[in-house]
Amino acid sequence: MTTAAGTVLAVLLSLVSSAGYALAAVAQARLAAAPSAPSGRGALRALLARGQWWWAVGLNAAGALAHAVALHYGPLTLVQPLGALTLVAALPLGAYTARRRVTRTEWRGALWTLAGLVGLVAVTGPAAPGESLSLREALAVAAATALLIAALAGGRLPGAGRRAGRAGADGAKGSAQGGTEGSVRGGGLGHATASGAASGVASALTQTLTAALASALPGGRPAWWQTALLALLISAFAMGGLLLSQAAYRGGLAAPLAVVNLANPAAAAVIGVALLGETFRAGAWGWLAAAAASLVAARGVVLLTASAPAPPEAVREAAPSVATPAAPSTTATPSAEGPTGPPPAGLPGVPSPARPEVVRVPAASAGTPAAGLFLPAPEAEPAR
């Protein structure tokens, strides 16, 4: 196959991969927003019993396979930026399934995020292709990432709760709805970051497993149980990333998907720079370009978070806390049935007779009536 034909095939496969990931994200977001979405104990069991979940799993697997084949036929500098089109494809698909239009703010946020993601990918190429982690480094990365995921998913990072609760509005109703909505979205971004980190580490461990199977792992050929351990860790991080993204979509679609797409290459870049001797392209200018691209992507995520519609779960959780206004009370008037009985119905066309005013006489001593007794007010003496 010629170079031009391989490049065209790589572009087509990259587009197929982006479409698969986008469809999977929309399916997961719809599953998370469903009124019958499982939560609490037994949520995982209920999720695994849903056919829509397995459709999302299959679409994610198809997207990953297409991406891997595209990397075989095309360069990384071409395939990776095209993978960022997942967000651009998922935004209109999600709006279509929700029967609404994509707002201008959402388009601007998507474009800002896309520009930042492309900038990050463009300057974070490997310095020495083919390098892989040693078995000890792989286990250390897995342990550190597991701790980071636990902190992100549990919301125990400093300032996470404060940032999530700043969306409250004035008033009791606005505070309840705004605080709950901000908590759901803040938790969604934390789960999205954890999902991207898990996927990035799964990719690094996959590269290590490939090198181990090819007997090219630093430190020598591993034992069979070490290879099996790597395969188990890859499966755990891959499935964990998928489940974390499912939890992230409770806070919407666009912003969590953008964070997942940003955290994945960021985690891979941290591993490459810290352990594999990789560096940003263009030296110090590459670091500055990466910092600028990160700010651009962060701006896009902020726009997507602010413009996202309120998640249904936030509305469901805030609804019980809204007080129902009480019906206007009526003053009881005496009637033939007693002081507190309902007034008799008047005849049609005949005005009802005037009722004497009712006063409450407090009990002052033992010789006075009991507290709370209703007595008719004394009638005014006629003028002479």
Side-chain angles (χ1 to χ4, degrees):
M1 182 180 292
T2 62
T3 305
T7 302
V8 172
L9 183 58
V11 170
L12 293 177
L13 288 172
S14 298
L15 295 178
V16 171
S17 174
S18 298
Y21 283 132
L23 289 172
V26 172
Q28 288 183 261
R30 290 191 64 186
L31 184 61
S36 59
S39 60
R41 293 184 177 180
L44 179 59
R45 185 186 307 172
L47 186 65
L48 296 179
R50 300 288 294 271
Q52 188 176 359
W53 161 254
W54 291 108
W55 273 107
V57 172
L59 288 169
N60 272 304
L65 181 60
H67 181 74
V69 178
L71 287 174
H72 177 73
Y73 288 102
L76 181 68
T77 55
L78 174 66
V79 175
Q80 285 293 98
L82 289 176
L85 294 176
T86 300
L87 178 61
V88 180
L91 198 59
L93 285 174
Y96 176 77
T97 56
R99 297 182 179 180
R100 65 178 184 87
R101 294 183 178 180
V102 183
T103 64
R104 292 183 178 179
T105 306
E106 288 177 318
W107 279 124
R108 282 190 296 153
L111 293 177
W112 277 82
T113 306
L114 181 63
L117 184 56
V118 171
L120 281 175
V121 171
V123 297
T124 55
E131 293 290 336
S132 60
L133 300 172
S134 65
L135 182 61
R136 182 177 299 178
E137 291 172 341
L139 295 179
V141 167
T145 307
L147 293 177
L148 177 62
I149 289 174
L152 289 169
R156 292 188 292 270
L157 290 183
R162 293 192 299 269
R163 289 192 298 269
R166 289 177 182 174
D170 294 334
K173 179 178 179 180
S175 298
Q177 291 180 345
T180 308
E181 177 184 340
S183 177
V184 171
R185 289 180 178 173
L189 295 184
H191 284 90
T193 306
S195 174
S199 300
V201 171
S203 300
L205 294 178
T206 301
Q207 186 182 25
T208 302
L209 179 61
T210 303
L213 294 176
S215 302
L217 191 69
R221 182 180 179 85
W224 66 268
W225 64 268
Q226 295 173 332
T227 305
L229 179 59
L230 281 175
L232 182 62
L233 288 175
I234 292 170
S235 301
F237 277 108
M239 183 55 66
L242 197 57
L243 293 175
L244 286 167
S245 66
Q246 178 65 45
Y249 292 135
R250 293 168 54 194
L253 171 64
L257 181 59
V259 173
V260 169
N261 288 336
L262 288 170
N264 191 330
V270 169
I271 294 174
V273 172
L275 299 175
L276 299 180
E278 297 178 1
T279 183
F280 291 107
R281 294 190 179 99
W285 289 106
W287 287 89
L288 293 176
S294 300
L295 293 177
V296 170
R299 170 64 176 168
V301 172
V302 169
L303 288 174
L304 290 173
T305 304
S307 62
E313 180 150 339
V315 178
R316 290 199 300 270
E317 292 179 357
S321 62
V322 180
T324 305
S329 60
T330 56
T331 304
T333 55
S335 64
E337 298 178 3
T340 59
L347 297 177
V350 179
S352 301
R355 306 290 182 184
E357 182 182 359
V358 177
V359 296
R360 184 185 294 271
V361 180
S365 63
T368 58
L373 180 64
F374 289 93
L375 296 177
E379 298 181 0
E381 183 179 357
R384 298 182 179 178

